[in-house]
Amino acid sequence: MREASRYTRRPFIAAAAALAMVAAAIVQTIGVTPAAAATIPVGSVQVVTATSGLTPGSSKTITAVCTSARPFVLGGGFTTTGTHIVVSELQPIDGASVDSYRVTAGFDEVGTSGSWNLLVYAYCSSTAPGWQLVPVTSTTTSNSFNQVIATCPSGKAVVGTGGRINGGAGQVELVTQGIGSVGPNRMSAGGLEDITGFSGSWSVTGYAVCVTYTSSLDIRLVSNQTASDNTITKNVTATCPSGMRLTGSAIWASVPGNAINLRPNNSSPTNVAATARNDSGSGSGWDLITYALCAV
């Protein structure tokens, strides 16, 4: 049946091709360049937020859920308030009808008696050709650093990232990054034990959100990095190239820094702002890197 239907469609394909040739001739006559097809056209992505509210608690898990109009999750971000809070999960979730982005944060070994807030951002899209979530988990270790790389299949690029620390008891910081520049096809998730270390064993899971690109030029990775010094709080912003929109973001803070914010600039984002802070009050110089995954 599929073979027969393919042949019955040929006259319509031929007619459409003829119309396209006429349209192209008209465009050339008036001197306008035809627009190339985009992988994720501008206007496709919108940010959805969810919040825990300002309440006490040793751990919070909050999920921002995409809408039926924009069901595909690409990436996400977070903001935490309060000191001694560590993010241990940034997970894009493949839903039955709509996707979501889940963030978990909780106390480090010191914790806080005060109220704190967890705000979650999901970058949701109306289109995501060949959407695929690629997870990979490291071995279990007691090392101070552990890392894993998730790679998209051939012909696909990373548009969003995520990760999760499995174990760690609030003493292992989750860090993520994109890898590449034009048409990036990999991401990395890692865990960094805090300045006092962690005696237990743990692993890290990385998530790459992949789409099939029309052109590898449609997906770009932009990064920005602070200086390495003893500044207590550091901020850095990564901005998409002109005409592109943010689809995903990642953050890497070296010890003793702790990532506390990865925030898009608005509901149709063009950049991402990252913040990290040294809550320990000691340690050597550290730096902060933020990554913006951008698409058109």
Side-chain angles (χ1 to χ4, degrees), residues 19 27 29 36 76 92 104 140 148 158 175 201 210 238 264 276 286:
L19 289 172
V27 165
T29 301
T104 298
T140 300
V148 71
V158 173
V175 287
S201 297
C210 309
W286 62 282

Side-chain angles (χ1 to χ4, degrees), residues 23 28 37 47 70 73 103 109 114 122 127 141 153-154 164 170 177 179 184 193-194 232 240 259:
Q28 290 175 3
V47 176
R70 290 179 171 84
V73 70
V103 178
E109 60 188 309
T127 181
T141 181
S154 177
R164 186 181 70 240
Q177 64 177 341
I179 302 174
E193 292 187 0
D194 63 22
I232 298 299
C240 290

Side-chain angles (χ1 to χ4, degrees), residues 173-284:
E173 176 197 5
L174 174 65
V175 287
T176 55
Q177 64 177 341
I179 302 174
S181 54
V182 176
N185 73 334
R186 294 181 297 162
M187 68 76 58
S188 167
L192 290 164
E193 292 187 0
D194 63 22
I195 195 169
T196 61
F198 175 57
S199 60
S201 297
W202 56 277
S203 65
V204 59
T205 300
Y207 301 92
V209 179
C210 309
V211 299
T212 304
Y213 52 75
T214 302
S215 166
S216 60
L217 296 175
D218 290 352
I219 314 295
R220 307 283 184 91
L221 176 67
V222 179
S223 63
N224 200 5
Q225 184 173 0
T226 67
S228 180
D229 56 33
N230 291 315
T231 303
I232 298 299
T233 301
K234 298 188 177 185
N235 300 279
V236 67
T237 298
T239 301
C240 290
S242 177
M244 304 187 88
R245 293 294 183 270
L246 191 71
T247 64
S249 51
I251 187 168
W252 191 286
S254 58
V255 175
N258 174 42
I260 60 174
N261 175 62
L262 188 66
R263 185 185 72 252
N265 62 320
N266 56 43
S267 61
S268 181
T270 56
N271 68 53
V272 59
T275 305
R277 184 178 58 233
N278 177 4
D279 285 336
S280 71
S282 60
S284 58

